[in-house]
Amino acid sequence: MLTGATIDIFTDREHIRWGEDFRAKLDEALQATLFFIPILTPTYFTREECRNELRRFATSASKVGLPQLLLSVRYVPVPDLIEDSGDELKAIAARMQYEPWERMRLLDEASADYRAAINRLALRLVELTQELEASGGPAGQGTLAGSAAIATDAGIERVSADGVSPSSTMPASSVVDPIGAAGGQVEAREDAPGLLDRLVDLGPAMQDWGQAVEALPPAIEAFNARFSAATEEMNAANSRPNSFAAKVRIARQLARDIEPELLNLEKRSRDYSTELIRLDPAVRAVIEIASNQVNQAGSRRALEQLVGMIEASKTAVSGMKTAADAAKANEGISRDLRPVLRRFETAMRNIIDGTETLEDWSPLIRDALARMDAEA
């Protein structure tokens, strides 16, 4: 209504048949995505695919200096949604522009207030589009004739800005980077960082990330050692009279004593994720340069060094998902340990989120090296 653009909704029920490559089909459908609009709820941050999508889009928008591409809708109050959250993705979401829908979601969808809220959101998208047009935004995406990716904890819709809905019928899956994160050509706005600008930080970023990787195992071992010692005490308490009360006392003491190790682990996990996000644009710049057959020798050295660092990182963080799932499963054991285990789970999720970036890099690096070998 505001722009004359047609509504384009993508759902798996209508567009993806059983047996088709789900991710490839979704990536193909979302090539024209203009905005990424996560519908934030507590559940959103517990779904690995949702976290992966948010991380990818946030990294991509940062890479070309276009934070306007991300507009969140705060649909349900989310605990710890603050800029210094221990959960790196909650911290990213807290810094994003947003529309407050915590109250609006309770209204009847046919009510005047609800319809006015829909209109405000559409107007916001129109304004952001005009800002992008004025600044020379991503090529081919200067108008709202494109679409927005609406991401919820239930899935993703693709709709144009003249009609958005916080509901979804499609299971969550990765969404293609709307501005070329896979190493494709991007015509960025004039003041966006170019290839050389992104390469400037490659050496320092790789060094800082390497240090973050090295710091993880000692931090995890220190936490586990403290926890294991308390577990042994609890096992020994089984033979005492009133063993339940003894275990409660041990758990309470552990919750107090483990705070330094927990704080250190939280910091190390944030460092790991933050340094990967910082390194990502430089890595993709190296891959793009290699793909364009520029400075082949230098690109090969950088890519081979990255391969070694990726393998070292995977070794260092192996078992994190199992540890996070175990922590979540054990939250009901002790009221005193519940906050500790939740914070531990969040730290593990930060690391898992970072590892997803490695999974994005690996096939791109392999392809670039294979092309170099074929041309040699």
Side-chain angles (χ1 to χ4, degrees):
M1 186 179 296
L2 295 175
T3 67
T6 57
I7 298 176
D8 185 7
I9 301 177
F10 183 91
T11 65
D12 67 330
R13 288 185 305 184
E14 298 177 8
H15 299 88
I16 299 182
R17 296 186 301 274
W18 289 109
E20 287 189 282
D21 184 336
F22 182 86
R23 289 177 181 268
K25 191 74 173 179
L26 182 62
D27 285 351
E28 177 186 347
L30 294 181
Q31 287 287 349
T33 294
L34 178 59
F35 295 108
F36 180 64
I37 308 175
I39 310 298
L40 302 183
T41 68
T43 306
Y44 185 91
F45 291 96
T46 66
R47 301 284 175 84
E48 288 187 27
E49 289 288 4
C50 293
R51 297 177 65 88
N52 189 28
E53 289 147 7
L54 177 57
R55 175 187 57 80
R56 288 187 180 189
F57 275 81
T59 301
S60 301
S62 174
K63 181 178 71 176
V64 295
L66 289 172
Q68 306 99 311
L69 293 172
L70 299 104
L71 172 66
S72 66
V73 173
R74 298 189 179 182
Y75 196 63
V76 177
V78 177
D80 195 37
L81 189 64
I82 54 178
E83 293 189 14
D84 59 350
S85 170
D87 186 328
E88 181 65 17
L89 287 182
K90 284 186 178 180
I92 289 174
R95 292 191 289 268
M96 288 169 52
Q97 57 189 336
Y98 69 93
E99 286 289 321
W101 271 61
E102 294 92 340
R103 187 182 69 85
M104 291 300 163
R105 71 183 179 87
L106 302 175
L107 300 178
D108 188 308
E109 292 186 12
S111 69
D113 286 344
Y114 191 92
R115 292 172 60 82
I118 290 285
N119 186 60
R120 281 196 301 273
L121 180 56
L123 284 170
R124 183 78 174 272
L125 293 175
V126 172
E127 291 169 358
L128 290 173
T129 302
Q130 291 170 346
E131 291 178 13
L132 288 171
E133 289 174 341
S135 64
Q141 299 186 35
T143 71
L144 279 175
S147 61
I150 310 296
T152 76
D153 52 39
I156 298 171
E157 277 189 19
R158 176 177 180 256
V159 299
S160 58
D162 50 352
V164 294
S165 169
S167 62
S168 176
T169 58
M170 182 162 62
S173 178
S174 296
V175 181
V176 69
D177 182 341
I179 46 182
Q185 297 296 321
V186 177
E187 183 181 333
R189 68 180 190 181
E190 186 175 347
D191 61 345
L195 282 176
L196 293 179
D197 300 310
R198 285 148 53 192
L199 281 175
V200 167
D201 198 34
L202 178 62
M206 288 180 68
Q207 182 177 0
D208 291 343
W209 178 53
Q211 293 174 350
V213 171
E214 291 177 0
L216 272 177
I220 294 171
E221 289 171 9
F223 180 91
N224 287 340
R226 178 80 73 172
F227 219 96
S228 296
T231 301
E232 291 179 5
E233 287 186 53
M234 289 185 184
N235 291 335
N238 286 329
S239 59
R240 303 178 198 167
N242 199 4
S243 62
F244 178 77
K247 289 181 179 180
V248 170
R249 287 194 297 271
I250 294 170
R252 191 164 295 166
Q253 186 64 43
L254 173 61
R256 291 193 293 266
D257 292 346
I258 206 170
E259 183 66 15
E261 287 82 3
L262 183 57
L263 286 172
N264 183 50
L265 180 57
E266 287 176 324
K267 180 183 184 306
R268 300 306 177 186
S269 74
R270 285 195 302 270
D271 289 347
Y272 178 83
S273 180
T274 300
E275 293 303 333
L276 268 179
I277 291 174
R278 172 189 166 198
L279 182 57
D280 185 71
V283 170
R284 295 184 186 277
V286 172
I287 295 170
E288 188 169 339
I289 287 174
S291 299
N292 293 332
Q293 301 181 2
V294 179
N295 189 17
Q296 293 277 357
S299 297
R300 174 177 282 280
R301 285 194 299 272
L303 293 177
E304 289 177 343
Q305 184 178 358
L306 277 166
V307 169
M309 294 180 70
I310 288 171
E311 292 305 314
S313 176
K314 288 181 177 179
T315 300
V317 306
S318 61
M320 295 300 168
K321 187 177 187 306
T322 300
D325 291 342
K328 188 174 184 64
N330 289 320
E331 287 179 2
I333 292 177
S334 164
R335 179 181 60 188
D336 296 293
L337 289 178
R338 189 174 301 136
V340 172
L341 290 171
R342 284 178 177 170
R343 289 167 62 187
F344 175 79
E345 181 196 0
T346 295
M348 295 301 99
R349 296 296 178 193
N350 283 338
I351 298 169
I352 294 168
D353 292 338
T355 304
E356 291 291 341
T357 298
L358 305 184
E359 298 299 332
D360 292 345
W361 292 347
S362 293
L364 301 177
I365 293 174
R366 285 197 303 269
D367 290 346
L369 290 173
R371 282 195 297 271
M372 289 182 186
D373 292 337
E375 294 161 2

